[in-house]
Amino acid sequence: MNKQVFGLIGLGVMGQNFVLNVERNGFAAAVYNRTAEKTKKYVEGVAAGKNIKPTYTLEEFVGALERPRRIMLLVKAGVPVDAIIQQLVPLLDKQDLIIDGGNSCFLDTERRARELEARGINFLGMGVSGGEEGALWGPSLMPGGSREAYKEVEPIMKAVAAKAEEDGEPCVTYIGPGGSGHYVKMAHNGIEYGDMQLIAEAYDLLKHTLELSAQEFHDIFAEWNKGELSSFLIEVTANVFKKMDGDTGRPLVDVILDKAGQKGTGKWMSENALDLGAAIPTITAAVDGRILSAQKEERVKAASILSGPTKKYNGESAQKLIDSVRDALYASKICSYAQGMNLLRKASEEYKYNLDLGTIARIWRAGCIIRARFLNDITNAYNRNKDLTNLLVDEEFKKAVSTRQEAWRLVIKCAIELGIPMPAVSASLAYYDAYRSERLPANLIQAQRDFFGAHTFERIDKPGIFHADWDTS
Ligand code: 6PG
């Protein structure tokens, strides 16, 4: 009997759709889920009549697959991944391959890769981005682990991945060893947090200044989606404003509680950036923004205690402000991606991932949540100079930011005057201003450190390490 070429464990929506995608592309699949009813419902429902074999025990699942087996896990990150690996491994043969397609922490992936390698089992930690739709019609895939193991599934992954509009290239590439695939996915998600926060701040400023309706917001974002901001998240935002709430007849967005959730990938990125000594202030501001938003009860109380400016907006014309916010958003976005790419560069050195930043930008062009026209510009910047130290110093991005600088500062001034928080937009501008500063006030910090702790300092006029006797003037 012919065996199936691809196995998937975990029939959540992502898993269900991913298998449909695999099968549609001509690969016979076997599926297993912890609860049998889900498997049954799936194969009798959307998967009916397709070459997708249901299995109800792990033994049956493993037995249904051709060797070396290709098994992908799409289960909740954390303990469930270890649990399923533990059950699976005794049933596998050497050279079989396990792919973890969840949002696992890259450090867990490093550990699992080591443990499995010691037992002769191949392992890939693969970032999968694009949500339910992406899983079904083409996600962006970020596989990391052994290159040979990736070769075993490369044809399948190339077939199921999203294809970039510009050149039809599949949005998947071998990322690098160990946990690099999940590392890159983590960075993708942190950048996703940054994009979402920046968009939310743009909305907030326009809402408070111009008191726009949901329809007007829809029109603005739809318009922005035609230009340099053109991206999945701007498109999603435009569409959000169209949705009305059946219960109240109001725009749904207006009745949604202002408490943002998070599953941890953005936070991991900020933690890791601190560990590696990389500055990612825009992304960290986005994580902080979610944390502050979640403290709703505290904020409601504080709102009745603390005061801010009371004046109303009476600045530029509505159109000028809208255009300025668009420019501020784009300039901030460039800073955010510059930070994200920088962190990848640092991680590549630190963990010996050997990441190709231009190629990573290329596989984010379609399928994933941060897909955007702008990713082509990043790819082009790395094509111009593969060792680019920071996107901001690329000729094109330098121009893009400097032509928007005035608008960017105007927007932040307006936010400060009116007391509207724009932490990510402000952090982006501060990053830009710090990065372009030949001299920062760290000389004073060094003096303070040496003053109270004899931490020493360097001088601008001669080499060496110095300590001053601060008691004598
Ligand atoms: C993707 C997304 C996805 C992520 C969600 C929710 O690339 O498809 O990044 O993997 O899980 O966007 O993330 P939070 O719950 O942390 O917002």
Side-chain angles (χ1 to χ4, degrees):
M1 202 184 77
N2 279 349
K3 300 243 176 176
Q4 311 298 90
V5 295
F6 184 83
L8 184 125
I9 299 180
L11 286 174
V13 192
M14 289 292 286
Q16 293 194 14
N17 283 355
F18 196 87
V19 176
L20 290 175
N21 185 350
V22 167
E23 198 270 351
R24 193 181 62 245
N25 280 287
F27 302 97
V31 293
Y32 171 81
N33 192 69
R34 195 167 43 90
T35 50
E37 303 94 272
K38 213 172 206 176
T39 311
K40 205 158 169 286
K41 205 167 156 220
Y42 179 59
V43 293
E44 286 171 2
V46 281
K50 305 196 187 295
N51 197 348
I52 297 176
K53 186 178 165 48
T55 66
Y56 296 95
T57 63
L58 278 177
E59 287 76 6
E60 190 193 353
F61 173 74
V62 166
L65 296 170
E66 73 170 29
R67 285 173 58 185
R69 301 179 180 90
R70 307 172 188 91
I71 299 172
M72 179 151 151
L73 315 179
L74 268 173
V75 300
K76 201 167 173 311
V79 175
V81 177
D82 286 313
I84 198 80
I85 289 176
Q86 215 175 11
Q87 293 167 46
L88 203 50
V89 166
L91 309 174
L92 298 183
D93 293 288
K94 287 204 178 351
Q95 297 305 313
D96 283 350
L97 167 65
I98 299 177
I99 307 166
D100 173 14
N103 268 331
S104 290
C105 174
F106 77 102
L107 294 170
D108 285 340
T109 304
E110 298 276 351
R111 170 182 53 81
R112 289 171 189 141
R114 276 194 308 273
E115 287 168 3
L116 288 167
E117 195 182 308
R119 306 181 68 158
I121 307 289
N122 285 316
F123 184 64
L124 293 173
M126 182 167 79
V128 177
S129 177
E132 297 168 17
E133 279 290 297
L136 183 58
W137 297 111
S140 170
L141 300 171
M142 295 149 247
S146 102
R147 195 186 279 275
E148 294 67 45
Y150 174 61
K151 287 272 170 245
E152 284 294 325
V153 282
E154 190 173 23
I156 303 178
M157 296 309 163
K158 281 190 162 167
V160 303
K163 310 293 177 298
E165 241 173 63
E166 297 74 18
D167 49 19
E169 278 289 307
C171 288
V172 57
T173 188
Y174 171 71
I175 297 285
S180 61
H182 278 139
Y183 191 93
V184 169
K185 178 66 194 336
M186 173 186 79
H188 165 284
N189 281 27
I191 291 173
E192 171 186 307
Y193 276 46
D195 275 347
M196 293 168 79
Q197 176 72 24
L198 291 171
I199 292 172
E201 291 177 17
Y203 151 71
D204 202 31
L205 186 87
L206 292 176
K207 190 171 136 195
H208 285 96
T209 48
L210 306 179
E211 292 168 15
L212 303 174
S213 66
Q215 180 59 45
E216 286 168 315
F217 271 119
H218 165 76
D219 295 343
I220 289 170
F221 280 98
E223 186 58 34
W224 288 359
N225 200 35
K226 293 181 192 152
E228 71 274 29
L229 283 170
S230 170
S231 59
F232 174 67
L233 283 170
I234 293 283
E235 184 190 328
V236 163
T237 309
N239 290 335
V240 160
F241 287 110
K242 275 203 314 209
K243 178 79 182 163
M244 301 304 283
D245 172 43
D247 290 348
T248 59
R250 295 171 60 190
L252 182 59
V253 67
D254 290 343
V255 293
I256 294 180
L257 188 67
D258 53 330
K259 260 174 137 173
Q262 52 177 320
K263 291 195 210 71
T265 39
K267 187 191 79 170
W268 294 342
M269 182 167 173
S270 288
E271 285 172 346
N272 181 258
L274 287 175
D275 285 344
L276 297 194
I280 56 163
T282 307
I283 290 152
T284 300
V287 178
D288 285 341
R290 290 198 189 191
I291 293 171
L292 266 165
S293 82
Q295 297 167 356
K296 173 78 178 176
E297 294 74 17
E298 242 181 280
R299 286 189 290 115
V300 169
K301 273 193 205 132
S304 65
I305 302 169
L306 307 175
S307 63
T310 47
K311 68 180 199 179
K312 288 238 174 237
Y313 178 69
N314 70 345
E316 311 288 344
S317 71
Q319 195 53 53
K320 169 100 195 271
L321 184 66
I322 294 167
D323 290 347
S324 299
V325 171
R326 179 202 58 212
D327 286 353
L329 181 50
Y330 189 58
S332 302
K333 185 177 165 96
I334 293 173
C335 284
S336 180
Y337 281 66
Q339 295 161 27
M341 299 312 274
N342 239 356
L343 178 62
L344 288 180
R345 199 162 53 85
K346 275 238 166 196
S348 185
E349 285 162 20
E350 179 74 20
Y351 304 121
K352 313 267 177 300
Y353 283 160
N354 199 19
L355 300 178
D356 181 334
L357 302 189
T359 305
I360 290 170
R362 207 160 43 231
I363 64 159
W364 286 346
R365 289 181 303 166
C368 64
I369 304 295
I370 64 169
R371 62 186 182 263
R373 182 180 296 177
F374 165 75
L375 262 319
N376 278 306
D377 301 336
I378 299 187
T379 305
N380 293 340
Y382 285 109
N383 283 344
R384 280 190 286 277
N385 174 8
K386 74 174 181 37
D387 299 318
L388 189 63
T389 47
N390 190 305
L391 282 184
L392 287 171
V393 297
D394 167 73
E395 211 38 54
E396 292 301 318
F397 283 119
K398 176 189 142 185
K399 252 190 270 161
V401 171
S402 62
T403 53
R404 289 168 178 82
Q405 214 180 132
E406 212 185 301
W408 199 6
R409 294 182 194 278
L410 181 134
V411 166
I412 292 173
K413 255 190 267 169
C414 170
I416 289 171
E417 269 172 28
L418 298 178
I420 300 163
M422 291 195 98
V425 174
S426 315
S428 305
L429 180 60
Y431 176 81
Y432 175 72
D433 282 337
Y435 193 66
R436 63 176 192 82
S437 290
E438 200 182 316
R439 191 156 164 84
L440 285 168
N443 51 329
L444 182 57
I445 294 170
Q446 286 298 79
Q448 291 163 336
R449 292 177 70 238
D450 193 54
F451 187 108
F452 62 67
H455 293 296
T456 73
F457 54 85
E458 290 175 275
R459 295 177 56 102
I460 55 172
D461 53 355
K462 49 185 173 191
I465 303 293
F466 300 88
H467 168 58
D469 176 3
W470 294 96
D471 286 336
T472 57
S473 51

